[in-house]
Coordinates of all heavy atoms in Angstrom, one line a residue:
L287 N 81.3 90.7 95.0 CA 82.2 91.8 94.9 C 82.1 92.5 93.5 O 82.2 91.7 92.5 CB 83.7 91.4 95.2 CG 84.6 92.2 96.0 CD1 84.0 92.5 97.4 CD2 85.8 91.6 96.1
T288 N 81.9 93.7 93.5 CA 81.8 94.3 92.1 C 83.2 94.9 91.7 O 84.0 95.0 92.6 CB 80.7 95.4 92.1 OG1 81.3 96.5 93.1 CG2 79.4 95.1 92.7
S289 N 83.3 95.3 90.5 CA 84.6 95.9 90.1 C 84.7 97.2 90.8 O 85.9 97.7 91.1 CB 84.6 96.2 88.5 OG 83.6 97.0 88.2
E290 N 83.7 97.9 91.2 CA 83.8 99.2 91.9 C 84.4 98.9 93.4 O 85.2 99.6 93.8 CB 82.5 99.9 92.1 CG 82.0 100.7 91.0 CD 80.7 101.5 91.3 OE1 80.3 101.5 92.5 OE2 80.2 101.9 90.4
D291 N 83.9 97.8 94.0 CA 84.5 97.4 95.2 C 86.0 97.1 95.1 O 86.8 97.4 96.0 CB 83.8 96.0 95.9 CG 82.3 96.4 96.1 OD1 82.0 97.5 96.5 OD2 81.5 95.4 96.0
V292 N 86.4 96.3 94.1 CA 87.8 96.0 93.8 C 88.7 97.2 93.7 O 89.7 97.3 94.3 CB 88.0 95.1 92.7 CG1 89.4 94.8 92.4 CG2 87.3 93.7 93.0
D293 N 88.1 98.2 92.9 CA 88.9 99.4 92.7 C 89.0 100.2 94.0 O 90.0 100.7 94.2 CB 88.1 100.2 91.6 CG 88.2 99.8 90.2 OD1 89.1 99.0 90.0 OD2 87.4 100.2 89.4
R294 N 87.9 100.2 94.8 CA 88.0 100.9 96.0 C 89.0 100.3 96.9 O 89.8 101.1 97.6 CB 86.6 100.9 96.7 CG 86.4 101.9 97.8 CD 84.9 102.1 98.3 NE 84.0 102.3 97.1 CZ 82.9 101.5 96.9 NH1 82.5 100.7 97.9 NH2 82.1 101.6 95.9
V295 N 89.1 99.1 97.1 CA 90.1 98.4 97.9 C 91.5 98.6 97.4 O 92.4 98.9 98.2 CB 89.8 96.8 98.0 CG1 90.9 96.1 98.7 CG2 88.5 96.7 98.8
Y296 N 91.7 98.5 96.1 CA 93.0 98.7 95.4 C 93.4 100.2 95.7 O 94.6 100.3 96.2 CB 92.9 98.5 94.0 CG 94.1 98.9 93.2 CD1 95.2 98.0 93.2 CD2 94.4 100.0 92.6 CE1 96.4 98.3 92.6 CE2 95.5 100.4 92.0 CZ 96.6 99.5 92.0 OH 97.7 99.9 91.3
N297 N 92.6 101.1 95.5 CA 92.9 102.5 95.7 C 93.3 102.8 97.3 O 94.1 103.6 97.5 CB 91.8 103.5 95.3 CG 91.8 103.5 93.7 OD1 92.8 103.3 93.1 ND2 90.6 103.7 93.2
E298 N 92.5 102.1 98.2 CA 92.8 102.3 99.5 C 94.2 101.9 99.9 O 94.8 102.5 100.7 CB 91.8 101.6 100.3 CG 92.0 101.6 101.9 CD 91.8 103.1 102.5 OE1 91.0 103.9 101.9 OE2 92.3 103.2 103.5
Y299 N 94.6 100.7 99.5 CA 95.8 100.0 100.0 C 97.0 100.3 99.1 O 98.2 100.2 99.6 CB 95.6 98.6 100.3 CG 94.6 98.4 101.4 CD1 93.3 98.0 101.2 CD2 95.1 98.5 102.7 CE1 92.5 97.9 102.2 CE2 94.2 98.3 103.8 CZ 92.9 97.9 103.6 OH 92.0 97.8 104.5
I300 N 96.8 100.3 97.9 CA 97.9 100.2 96.8 C 97.9 101.4 95.8 O 98.9 101.8 95.2 CB 97.9 98.9 96.1 CG1 98.0 97.7 97.1 CG2 99.1 98.8 95.2 CD1 97.8 96.4 96.4
G301 N 96.8 102.1 95.7 CA 96.6 103.0 94.6 C 97.7 104.0 94.4 O 98.1 104.5 93.3
N302 N 98.2 104.6 95.5 CA 99.3 105.6 95.5 C 100.7 105.2 95.6 O 101.7 105.9 95.8 CB 99.1 106.7 96.5 CG 97.7 107.4 96.3 OD1 97.2 107.7 95.1 ND2 97.0 107.7 97.3
A303 N 100.9 103.9 95.5 CA 102.3 103.3 95.7 C 103.2 103.6 94.6 O 102.8 103.6 93.4 CB 102.2 101.6 95.7
E304 N 104.4 104.1 95.0 CA 105.4 104.5 94.0 C 106.6 103.5 93.8 O 107.4 103.8 92.9 CB 105.9 105.9 94.4 CG 104.8 107.0 94.5 CD 105.3 108.3 94.9 OE1 106.6 108.5 95.2 OE2 104.6 109.2 95.1
N305 N 106.5 102.6 94.7 CA 107.6 101.6 94.5 C 107.2 100.2 95.2 O 106.0 100.1 95.7 CB 108.9 102.1 95.2 CG 108.7 102.5 96.6 OD1 108.2 101.6 97.4 ND2 109.1 103.6 97.0
R306 N 108.0 99.3 94.9 CA 107.6 97.9 95.4 C 107.4 97.9 96.9 O 106.5 97.1 97.4 CB 108.7 96.9 94.9 CG 108.7 96.7 93.4 CD 109.9 95.9 93.0 NE 109.7 94.5 93.8 CZ 110.3 93.5 93.2 NH1 111.0 93.5 92.1 NH2 110.2 92.3 93.8
A307 N 108.2 98.6 97.7 CA 108.1 98.5 99.2 C 106.8 99.1 99.6 O 106.1 98.6 100.5 CB 109.3 99.4 99.9
Q308 N 106.3 100.1 98.9 CA 105.0 100.6 99.3 C 103.8 99.7 98.8 O 102.8 99.6 99.5 CB 104.8 102.0 98.5 CG 105.6 103.1 99.2 CD 105.4 104.4 98.4 OE1 105.1 104.5 97.3 NE2 106.0 105.5 99.0
V309 N 104.0 98.9 97.7 CA 103.1 98.0 97.3 C 103.0 96.9 98.4 O 101.9 96.4 99.0 CB 103.4 97.4 96.0 CG1 102.5 96.1 95.7 CG2 103.2 98.4 94.9
R310 N 104.2 96.4 98.8 CA 104.3 95.4 100.0 C 103.6 95.9 101.2 O 102.8 95.3 101.8 CB 105.7 95.1 100.3 CG 106.1 94.2 101.4 CD 107.3 94.4 102.1 NE 107.4 95.8 102.6 CZ 108.7 96.4 102.7 NH1 109.7 95.8 102.3 NH2 108.7 97.6 103.1
D311 N 103.8 97.2 101.6 CA 103.3 97.7 102.8 C 101.7 97.7 102.7 O 101.0 97.5 103.7 CB 103.7 99.1 103.1 CG 105.3 99.0 103.5 OD1 105.9 97.9 103.8 OD2 105.9 100.1 103.5
G312 N 101.2 98.1 101.5 CA 99.8 98.2 101.3 C 99.2 96.9 101.3 O 98.2 96.6 101.9
L313 N 99.8 95.9 100.8 CA 99.3 94.4 100.9 C 99.4 94.0 102.3 O 98.4 93.3 102.7 CB 100.2 93.5 99.9 CG 99.8 93.7 98.5 CD1 100.8 92.8 97.6 CD2 98.4 93.3 98.1
L314 N 100.3 94.3 103.1 CA 100.4 93.8 104.5 C 99.3 94.5 105.3 O 98.7 93.9 106.1 CB 101.8 94.2 105.1 CG 102.9 93.3 104.6 CD1 104.3 93.8 105.1 CD2 102.7 91.9 105.0
D315 N 99.0 95.8 104.9 CA 97.9 96.5 105.7 C 96.6 95.8 105.4 O 95.8 95.7 106.2 CB 97.9 98.0 105.3 CG 99.0 98.9 105.9 OD1 99.6 98.3 106.9 OD2 99.2 99.9 105.4
A316 N 96.4 95.5 104.0 CA 95.1 94.8 103.7 C 94.9 93.5 104.3 O 93.9 93.2 104.8 CB 95.1 94.7 102.1
I317 N 96.1 92.7 104.3 CA 96.0 91.4 105.0 C 95.7 91.6 106.4 O 94.9 90.8 107.0 CB 97.2 90.6 104.6 CG1 97.3 90.2 103.3 CG2 97.3 89.3 105.6 CD1 98.7 89.8 102.7
G318 N 96.4 92.5 107.1 CA 96.2 92.7 108.6 C 94.8 93.1 108.8 O 94.2 92.7 109.8
D319 N 94.3 94.0 108.0 CA 92.9 94.4 108.2 C 91.9 93.3 108.1 O 90.9 93.1 109.0 CB 92.4 95.5 107.3 CG 93.2 96.8 107.5 OD1 93.7 97.0 108.7 OD2 93.0 97.8 106.8
C320 N 92.1 92.5 107.1 CA 91.2 91.2 106.9 C 91.3 90.3 108.0 O 90.4 89.7 108.5 CB 91.6 90.6 105.5 SG 91.1 91.5 104.1
V321 N 92.6 90.0 108.5 CA 92.8 88.9 109.5 C 92.5 89.3 110.8 O 91.9 88.6 111.7 CB 94.2 88.4 109.3 CG1 94.5 87.4 110.5 CG2 94.5 87.7 108.0
F322 N 93.0 90.6 111.3 CA 92.8 91.1 112.7 C 91.7 92.1 112.8 O 90.9 91.8 113.7 CB 94.1 91.7 113.1 CG 95.2 90.7 113.2 CD1 96.2 90.7 112.3 CD2 95.2 89.8 114.2 CE1 97.3 89.7 112.5 CE2 96.2 88.9 114.4 CZ 97.3 88.8 113.5
V323 N 91.7 93.1 112.0 CA 90.7 94.3 112.3 C 89.3 93.8 112.1 O 88.5 94.0 112.8 CB 91.1 95.5 111.4 CG1 90.1 96.6 111.7 CG2 92.5 95.9 111.8
L324 N 88.9 93.2 111.0 CA 87.6 92.9 110.7 C 87.0 91.9 111.8 O 85.9 92.1 112.2 CB 87.4 92.3 109.3 CG 87.6 93.3 108.2 CD1 87.4 92.6 106.8 CD2 86.8 94.5 108.3
S325 N 87.7 90.9 112.1 CA 87.3 89.9 113.1 C 87.2 90.6 114.5 O 86.3 90.3 115.3 CB 88.1 88.7 113.2 OG 89.4 89.1 113.4
A326 N 88.2 91.5 114.8 CA 88.1 92.3 116.1 C 86.9 93.1 116.2 O 86.2 93.2 117.3 CB 89.4 93.0 116.3
I327 N 86.5 93.8 115.1 CA 85.3 94.6 115.2 C 84.1 93.8 115.3 O 83.2 94.2 116.0 CB 85.3 95.4 113.7 CG1 86.4 96.5 113.8 CG2 84.0 96.0 113.6 CD1 86.6 97.2 112.5
E328 N 84.1 92.7 114.6 CA 82.8 91.7 114.7 C 82.7 91.3 116.2 O 81.6 91.4 116.8 CB 83.1 90.6 113.8 CG 81.8 89.7 113.9 CD 81.9 88.6 112.8 OE1 83.0 88.2 112.3 OE2 81.0 88.0 112.4
V329 N 83.9 90.9 116.8 CA 83.7 90.4 118.2 C 83.3 91.6 119.2 O 82.5 91.5 120.1 CB 85.0 89.8 118.7 CG1 85.0 89.6 120.3 CG2 85.2 88.6 117.9
A330 N 83.9 92.9 118.9 CA 83.6 94.0 119.6 C 82.0 94.4 119.5 O 81.4 94.7 120.6 CB 84.3 95.2 119.2
R331 N 81.6 94.2 118.3 CA 80.1 94.6 118.1 C 79.2 93.5 118.9 O 78.2 93.8 119.5 CB 79.8 94.5 116.7 CG 80.3 95.7 116.0 CD 79.9 95.7 114.5 NE 80.3 96.9 113.9 CZ 80.5 97.0 112.6 NH1 80.3 96.0 111.8 NH2 80.9 98.2 112.1
Y332 N 79.7 92.2 119.0 CA 78.8 91.2 119.7 C 78.8 91.6 121.2 O 77.7 91.5 121.9 CB 79.5 89.8 119.5 CG 79.3 89.2 118.1 CD1 80.3 88.4 117.7 CD2 78.2 89.3 117.5 CE1 80.1 87.8 116.5 CE2 78.0 88.7 116.3 CZ 79.0 88.0 115.7 OH 78.9 87.4 114.5
H333 N 80.0 92.0 121.7 CA 80.0 92.4 123.1 C 79.1 93.7 123.4 O 78.4 93.7 124.3 CB 81.5 92.6 123.6 CG 82.3 91.3 123.7 ND1 82.1 90.6 124.9 CD2 83.1 90.7 123.0 CE1 82.8 89.6 124.8 NE2 83.5 89.6 123.6
R334 N 79.2 94.7 122.5 CA 78.5 95.9 122.6 C 77.1 95.5 122.5 O 76.2 96.0 123.4 CB 78.8 96.7 121.4 CG 78.0 98.1 121.4 CD 77.8 98.7 120.1 NE 77.3 97.7 119.1 CZ 77.4 97.9 117.9 NH1 78.0 98.8 117.3 NH2 76.7 97.0 117.0
D335 N 76.6 94.8 121.6 CA 75.1 94.2 121.4 C 74.6 93.5 122.7 O 73.5 93.5 122.9 CB 74.9 93.5 120.1 CG 75.1 94.3 118.9 OD1 75.2 95.6 119.0 OD2 75.3 93.7 117.8
A336 N 75.5 92.8 123.4 CA 75.2 92.1 124.6 C 75.1 93.1 125.9 O 74.8 92.7 126.9 CB 76.2 91.0 125.0
G337 N 75.4 94.4 125.6 CA 75.2 95.4 126.6 C 76.6 95.6 127.4 O 76.5 96.3 128.4
H338 N 77.6 95.2 126.9 CA 78.9 95.5 127.6 C 79.6 96.7 127.0 O 79.5 97.0 125.9 CB 79.8 94.2 127.5 CG 79.2 93.0 128.1 ND1 79.0 92.8 129.3 CD2 78.7 91.9 127.4 CE1 78.4 91.7 129.5 NE2 78.2 91.1 128.3
T339 N 80.4 97.3 127.9 CA 81.3 98.3 127.4 C 82.5 97.8 126.6 O 83.0 96.9 127.1 CB 81.7 99.2 128.6 OG1 80.7 99.8 129.3 CG2 82.6 100.3 128.1
V340 N 82.8 98.4 125.5 CA 83.9 97.9 124.6 C 84.8 98.9 124.3 O 84.4 100.1 124.0 CB 83.3 97.4 123.3 CG1 84.5 97.0 122.4 CG2 82.3 96.1 123.6
Y341 N 86.2 98.6 124.5 CA 87.2 99.5 124.2 C 88.0 98.9 123.0 O 88.4 97.7 123.1 CB 88.2 99.9 125.4 CG 87.4 100.4 126.7 CD1 86.9 99.6 127.5 CD2 87.2 101.9 126.7 CE1 86.2 100.1 128.6 CE2 86.6 102.4 127.7 CZ 86.0 101.5 128.7 OH 85.3 102.1 129.8
F342 N 88.4 99.8 122.0 CA 89.1 99.3 120.9 C 90.2 100.1 120.6 O 90.1 101.4 120.7 CB 88.1 99.3 119.7 CG 88.5 98.5 118.5 CD1 88.0 97.1 118.6 CD2 89.1 99.0 117.5 CE1 88.5 96.3 117.4 CE2 89.5 98.1 116.5 CZ 89.2 96.9 116.4
Y343 N 91.4 99.6 120.5 CA 92.6 100.3 120.2 C 93.5 99.7 119.2 O 93.3 98.5 118.8 CB 93.4 100.4 121.5 CG 94.1 99.2 122.0 CD1 95.3 98.9 121.7 CD2 93.2 98.4 122.8 CE1 95.8 97.6 122.1 CE2 93.8 97.1 123.3 CZ 95.1 96.7 122.9 OH 95.7 95.7 123.3
E344 N 94.4 100.5 118.6 CA 95.4 100.0 117.6 C 96.6 100.5 118.2 O 97.0 101.6 118.4 CB 95.2 100.6 116.3 CG 96.1 100.3 115.3 CD 95.8 100.8 113.9 OE1 95.0 101.7 113.9 OE2 96.5 100.4 112.9
F345 N 97.6 99.4 118.3 CA 98.9 99.7 119.0 C 99.9 99.9 117.7 O 100.0 99.0 117.0 CB 99.3 98.6 119.9 CG 100.6 98.7 120.6 CD1 100.6 99.6 121.7 CD2 101.7 98.1 120.1 CE1 101.8 99.8 122.4 CE2 103.0 98.3 120.7 CZ 103.0 99.1 121.9
Q346 N 100.6 100.9 117.7 CA 101.4 101.2 116.6 C 102.8 101.5 117.0 O 103.7 101.9 116.1 CB 101.0 102.3 115.7 CG 99.7 102.0 115.0 CD 99.3 103.2 114.1 OE1 99.9 104.2 114.0 NE2 98.1 103.0 113.4
H347 N 103.3 101.3 118.3 CA 104.6 101.6 118.7 C 105.6 100.5 118.4 O 105.4 99.4 118.8 CB 104.6 101.9 120.2 CG 106.0 102.3 120.8 ND1 106.6 103.4 120.6 CD2 106.8 101.5 121.5 CE1 107.7 103.4 121.1 NE2 108.0 102.3 121.8
R348 N 106.7 100.8 117.7 CA 107.6 99.7 117.5 C 108.6 99.6 118.7 O 109.3 100.7 118.9 CB 108.5 100.2 116.2 CG 109.5 99.2 115.9 CD 110.2 99.6 114.6 NE 111.4 98.7 114.4 CZ 111.6 97.6 113.8 NH1 110.4 97.2 113.2 NH2 112.6 96.9 113.6
P349 N 108.6 98.5 119.3 CA 109.4 98.4 120.5 C 110.9 98.3 120.2 O 111.2 97.8 119.1 CB 108.9 97.2 121.2 CG 108.2 96.3 120.1 CD 107.7 97.4 119.2
S350 N 111.7 98.9 121.0 CA 113.2 98.8 120.7 C 113.7 97.4 120.6 O 114.7 97.0 120.0 CB 113.9 99.6 121.8 OG 113.6 99.0 123.0
S351 N 113.0 96.4 121.4 CA 113.5 95.0 121.2 C 113.3 94.4 119.8 O 113.8 93.4 119.5 CB 112.6 94.2 122.2 OG 111.3 94.3 122.0
A352 N 112.5 95.1 119.0 CA 112.4 94.6 117.6 C 113.6 94.9 116.7 O 113.7 94.3 115.6 CB 111.1 95.2 117.0
T353 N 114.4 95.8 117.0 CA 115.6 96.2 116.3 C 116.5 95.0 116.0 O 116.9 94.3 117.0 CB 116.4 97.3 117.1 OG1 115.5 98.4 117.3 CG2 117.6 97.7 116.2
G354 N 116.8 94.7 114.8 CA 117.6 93.6 114.5 C 116.9 92.2 114.5 O 117.4 91.2 114.0
V355 N 115.7 92.3 114.9 CA 115.0 91.0 114.9 C 114.0 90.8 114.0 O 113.8 89.8 113.3 CB 114.3 90.9 116.4 CG1 113.5 89.4 116.4 CG2 115.3 90.9 117.5
V356 N 113.2 92.0 113.6 CA 112.2 92.0 112.6 C 112.5 93.1 111.6 O 113.2 94.0 111.9 CB 110.7 92.2 113.1 CG1 110.3 91.0 114.1 CG2 110.6 93.6 113.9
P357 N 112.1 93.0 110.4 CA 112.4 94.0 109.4 C 111.9 95.3 109.8 O 110.9 95.4 110.6 CB 111.6 93.4 108.1 CG 111.3 92.0 108.3 CD 111.2 91.8 109.8
E358 N 112.6 96.3 109.3 CA 112.3 97.8 109.6 C 110.9 98.1 109.2 O 110.3 99.0 109.9 CB 113.3 98.7 109.0 CG 114.6 98.6 109.7 CD 114.6 99.1 111.1 OE1 113.9 100.0 111.4 OE2 115.3 98.4 111.9
F359 N 110.3 97.6 108.2 CA 108.9 98.0 107.8 C 107.9 97.5 108.6 O 106.8 97.9 108.7 CB 108.7 97.6 106.3 CG 108.6 96.1 106.1 CD1 107.4 95.4 106.4 CD2 109.7 95.4 105.6 CE1 107.3 94.0 106.2 CE2 109.7 94.1 105.4 CZ 108.5 93.3 105.6
V360 N 108.2 96.6 109.6 CA 107.2 96.0 110.5 C 107.2 97.1 111.7 O 108.2 97.3 112.5 CB 107.5 94.6 111.1 CG1 106.7 94.2 112.3 CG2 107.5 93.7 110.0
K361 N 106.1 97.6 112.0 CA 106.0 98.7 113.1 C 105.8 97.9 114.4 O 106.7 97.5 115.1 CB 104.8 99.6 112.9 CG 105.0 100.4 111.5 CD 106.3 101.3 111.5 CE 106.5 101.9 110.3 NZ 107.7 101.7 109.6
A362 N 104.5 97.6 114.7 CA 104.2 96.9 115.9 C 103.7 95.5 115.4 O 102.8 95.4 114.5 CB 103.1 97.6 116.8
D363 N 104.2 94.5 116.0 CA 103.8 93.1 115.6 C 102.7 92.7 116.5 O 102.4 93.2 117.6 CB 105.0 92.1 115.7 CG 105.1 91.2 114.5 OD1 104.1 91.0 113.8 OD2 106.2 90.5 114.4
H364 N 102.1 91.6 116.1 CA 101.0 91.0 116.9 C 101.4 90.6 118.3 O 102.5 90.0 118.5 CB 100.5 89.6 116.1 CG 99.4 89.0 116.9 ND1 98.2 89.6 117.0 CD2 99.3 87.8 117.4 CE1 97.4 88.8 117.7 NE2 98.0 87.7 117.9
A365 N 100.8 91.2 119.2 CA 101.0 91.0 120.7 C 102.1 91.9 121.2 O 102.5 91.7 122.5 CB 101.2 89.5 121.0
D366 N 102.7 92.7 120.5 CA 103.8 93.6 121.0 C 103.3 94.4 122.1 O 104.1 94.8 123.0 CB 104.3 94.5 119.9 CG 105.4 93.8 119.1 OD1 105.9 92.7 119.5 OD2 105.8 94.3 118.0
E367 N 102.0 94.7 122.2 CA 101.6 95.7 123.3 C 101.4 95.0 124.6 O 101.4 95.7 125.6 CB 100.1 96.2 122.9 CG 99.0 95.1 123.2 CD 98.8 94.2 122.0 OE1 99.6 94.1 121.1 OE2 97.8 93.4 122.1
I368 N 101.6 93.6 124.7 CA 101.3 93.0 126.0 C 102.4 93.4 127.0 O 102.2 93.7 128.1 CB 101.5 91.4 125.8 CG1 100.3 90.9 124.8 CG2 101.4 90.6 127.0 CD1 99.0 91.2 125.3
A369 N 103.8 93.6 126.6 CA 104.7 94.0 127.6 C 104.4 95.5 128.1 O 104.6 95.7 129.2 CB 106.0 94.0 126.8
F370 N 103.8 96.3 127.2 CA 103.5 97.6 127.5 C 102.3 97.7 128.4 O 102.3 98.4 129.4 CB 103.3 98.5 126.4 CG 104.5 98.7 125.6 CD1 105.0 97.8 124.5 CD2 105.3 99.8 125.8 CE1 106.1 98.1 123.8 CE2 106.5 100.1 125.0 CZ 107.0 99.2 124.0
V371 N 101.3 96.8 128.2 CA 100.2 96.8 129.1 C 100.4 96.4 130.4 O 100.0 96.9 131.4 CB 99.1 95.9 128.4 CG1 98.0 95.6 129.4 CG2 98.5 96.4 127.1
F372 N 101.4 95.3 130.6 CA 101.7 94.8 131.9 C 103.0 95.3 132.4 O 103.4 95.0 133.6 CB 101.8 93.3 131.8 CG 100.4 92.7 131.6 CD1 100.1 92.1 130.2 CD2 99.4 92.7 132.5 CE1 98.8 91.6 130.0 CE2 98.2 92.1 132.2 CZ 97.9 91.6 131.0
G373 N 103.6 96.4 131.8 CA 104.6 97.2 132.5 C 106.0 96.7 132.3 O 106.9 97.2 133.1
K374 N 106.4 95.8 131.4 CA 107.7 95.4 131.2 C 108.8 96.4 131.0 O 109.8 96.4 131.5 CB 107.8 94.3 130.1 CG 109.2 93.7 130.0 CD 109.3 92.6 129.0 CE 110.6 92.2 128.9 NZ 110.9 91.2 127.8
P375 N 108.4 97.5 130.3 CA 109.3 98.6 130.2 C 109.8 99.3 131.4 O 110.9 100.0 131.4 CB 108.6 99.6 129.2 CG 107.6 98.7 128.5 CD 107.2 97.8 129.4
F376 N 109.1 99.1 132.4 CA 109.4 99.9 133.6 C 110.1 98.9 134.7 O 110.5 99.2 135.8 CB 108.2 100.3 134.4 CG 107.4 101.2 133.6 CD1 106.3 100.9 132.9 CD2 107.9 102.5 133.4 CE1 105.5 101.8 132.1 CE2 107.2 103.4 132.5 CZ 106.1 103.0 131.9
L377 N 110.4 97.6 134.3 CA 111.1 96.6 135.1 C 112.6 96.9 134.8 O 113.1 97.1 133.7 CB 110.7 95.2 134.8 CG 109.3 94.9 135.0 CD1 108.9 93.5 134.6 CD2 108.9 95.0 136.5
A378 N 113.4 96.6 135.9 CA 114.8 96.7 135.8 C 115.4 95.3 135.6 O 114.9 94.4 136.2 CB 115.4 97.3 137.0
G379 N 116.5 95.2 134.8 CA 117.1 94.0 134.6 C 116.6 93.0 133.7 O 115.6 93.4 133.1
D380 N 117.1 91.8 133.6 CA 116.6 90.9 132.6 C 115.5 90.1 133.4 O 115.6 89.4 134.4 CB 117.8 89.9 132.2 CG 117.5 89.0 131.2 OD1 116.5 89.3 130.4 OD2 118.1 87.9 131.0
V381 N 114.3 90.1 132.8 CA 113.1 89.4 133.4 C 112.8 88.2 132.6 O 112.7 88.2 131.5 CB 111.9 90.5 133.4 CG1 110.8 89.8 134.0 CG2 112.3 91.7 134.1

C-alpha cells in the first residue's frame, strides 16, 4: 500500500467528514466494504468466470422492525433483505 492509496481510501470514506458521527459512518462503510463487498465481488467473479449468470445487488432499505432495536445510523443490516425476498412484509399477523 502506498501513501497515495492510503490517501485515496481516507478521502473516499472519511475525507469530507464534518463531525464524529460522519467519521463513524465512514469507518463503518469502509469496514463493510472490506468484509462484505470485496468478498462478494470475488465470489461473483468466480461464478461469472465459470460461465454462470450473476446478479449483484445492494439492499439499503431500513425495515420498520429495526426501530428501537438498532441505532438510527444503521440503514439495512446484514440479512435484512431476507424477509423482503421471501415476502414477510405481505404476511398478516404474527409469523
Side-chain angles (χ1 to χ4, degrees):
L287 224 51
T288 68
S289 63
E290 278 185 15
D291 294 330
V292 173
D293 288 344
R294 198 170 308 135
V295 170
Y296 175 82
N297 288 330
E298 174 69 26
Y299 292 101
I300 303 173
N302 295 324
E304 296 175 2
N305 56 53
R306 293 173 60 155
Q308 290 176 345
V309 171
R310 176 206 58 214
D311 293 347
L313 287 173
L314 288 174
D315 286 344
I317 292 167
D319 286 353
C320 289
V321 172
F322 292 106
V323 177
L324 293 178
S325 57
I327 289 172
E328 186 175 15
V329 169
R331 286 180 176 160
Y332 289 144
H333 285 282
R334 178 205 60 199
D335 293 346
H338 302 287
T339 302
V340 176
Y341 299 94
F342 199 84
Y343 67 94
E344 179 180 10
F345 187 80
Q346 294 185 356
H347 177 75
R348 180 180 169 87
S350 58
S351 60
T353 304
V355 179
V356 296
E358 287 298 318
F359 65 85
V360 176
K361 302 300 179 231
D363 219 346
H364 181 62
D366 276 349
E367 78 279 8
I368 300 301
F370 291 87
V371 169
F372 293 104
K374 185 177 177 187
F376 300 106
L377 299 175
D380 190 21
V381 180

